[in-house]
Amino acid sequence: KIIETGADMVITDYFSDKDETSCQYIQQRISKTVSADILNEILVGSLIGSLWNKLIRHSIYRDYKIRFVPNIDFCEDVLTLTQLFILNIKVAYLHEAFYHYCNYNINSITRNYTRKSFHTQQQYVEMLKRILPDKYDKTIEVVAFKIKTGAFYHGVLTEREFYRYMPTSLSAILFCKCRRSWKLRMLLSYLGLYCLVKRVWDNQKNR
């Protein structure tokens, strides 16, 4: 595909392995093969932001000195892809799957969320702000909101952090792609009811 199209990157589908005996085919629904559009979809979570389902020309890494960002172990793939996509590289899509993503590793970083995880995610957002031009500010706001939602879910987000860390706009909440129940929780928190929402959520988790 990369030879046929002359693309700098080919994105494929992948398999999500639920356990050692079953897997699910995950299609990457790419509407446009434009770098800016794909990057935006990755950042808001519509497409997976991994490197393992993407074939990328080595010369792009070499010529533009693309590297992993040191000391960040959350979304490090996304930060690398961000550096690539802002170069407006040519992208192609192949409707086939090759990689099996192990979705049952209980020791993975994403399954063991702590305060340190939240701080690492904040570093990730800061790096996005450094790398991306101003036109991505709204997208970065959505990224920060999703991170706060995750921290809330795991019980590590304080009321002060919800309101002070990259304050979320009403539009970011309304247009965020998340479950309705979580959108409602965040909307009520936005309206000043964070403590009440957290108390109800904590009671639900402890049942």
Side-chain angles (χ1 to χ4, degrees):
K1 189 73 174 186
I2 204 165
I3 296 175
E4 174 189 324
T5 62
D8 300 306
M9 175 190 295
V10 173
I11 301 176
T12 70
D13 301 331
Y14 65 96
F15 297 102
S16 177
D17 292 6
K18 298 179 180 179
D19 52 45
E20 294 181 354
T21 60
S22 65
C23 67
Q24 180 181 4
Y25 188 100
I26 306 296
Q27 182 179 352
Q28 297 297 275
R29 302 186 181 281
I30 299 175
S31 55
K32 297 179 181 178
T33 54
V34 178
S35 286
D37 293 333
I38 293 174
L39 175 58
N40 192 70
E41 290 189 45
I42 286 174
L43 291 175
V44 300
S46 298
L47 294 173
I48 194 163
S50 63
L51 287 169
W52 40 252
N53 72 323
K54 299 170 182 68
L55 180 65
I56 304 164
R57 288 186 185 276
H58 179 263
S59 59
I60 302 294
Y61 285 99
R62 184 190 62 226
D63 295 346
Y64 294 95
K65 296 180 172 58
I66 305 298
R67 300 288 187 272
F68 280 102
V69 177
N71 304 317
I72 294 185
D73 56 10
F74 174 84
C75 281
E76 62 274 22
D77 282 11
V78 176
L79 289 175
T80 302
L81 288 170
T82 298
Q83 296 174 71
L84 291 165
F85 284 125
I86 61 174
L87 298 172
N88 195 30
I89 60 175
K90 185 175 181 180
V91 182
Y93 167 61
L94 179 61
H95 181 27
E96 289 187 51
F98 305 93
Y99 189 90
H100 285 258
Y101 173 65
C102 177
N103 205 21
Y104 55 92
N105 181 8
I106 61 174
N107 296 315
S108 67
I109 293 175
T110 54
R111 290 181 182 270
N112 294 275
Y113 197 98
T114 63
R115 283 287 303 177
K116 183 181 177 181
S117 304
F118 178 52
H119 290 317
T120 302
Q121 290 177 330
Q122 289 177 303
Q123 290 178 307
Y124 159 66
V125 171
E126 289 305 309
M127 285 306 306
L128 285 178
K129 289 163 68 175
R130 288 188 200 178
I131 296 171
L132 291 170
D134 293 344
K135 67 178 183 178
Y136 285 94
D137 284 352
K138 287 295 183 183
T139 302
I140 294 175
E141 181 187 351
V142 173
V143 173
F145 170 65
K146 290 173 75 69
I147 284 174
K148 287 197 289 186
T149 302
F152 179 95
Y153 176 88
H154 291 284
V156 302
L157 185 72
T158 66
E159 180 182 10
R160 179 184 178 87
E161 286 167 335
F162 179 85
Y163 291 112
R164 296 288 183 87
Y165 172 63
M166 290 195 67
T168 306
S169 66
L170 181 59
S171 61
I173 297 174
L174 294 176
F175 293 106
C176 180
K177 294 182 179 179
C178 60
R179 293 181 180 178
R180 290 182 181 178
S181 57
W182 275 105
K183 188 171 291 190
L184 178 60
R185 289 186 185 102
M186 295 301 102
L187 180 58
L188 291 174
S189 297
Y190 170 84
L191 295 174
L193 300 174
Y194 178 86
C195 290
L196 175 62
V197 173
K198 187 177 186 303
R199 195 178 309 124
V200 172
W201 172 241
D202 289 342
N203 288 336
Q204 288 179 339
K205 285 200 301 181
N206 294 328
R207 286 178 183 174

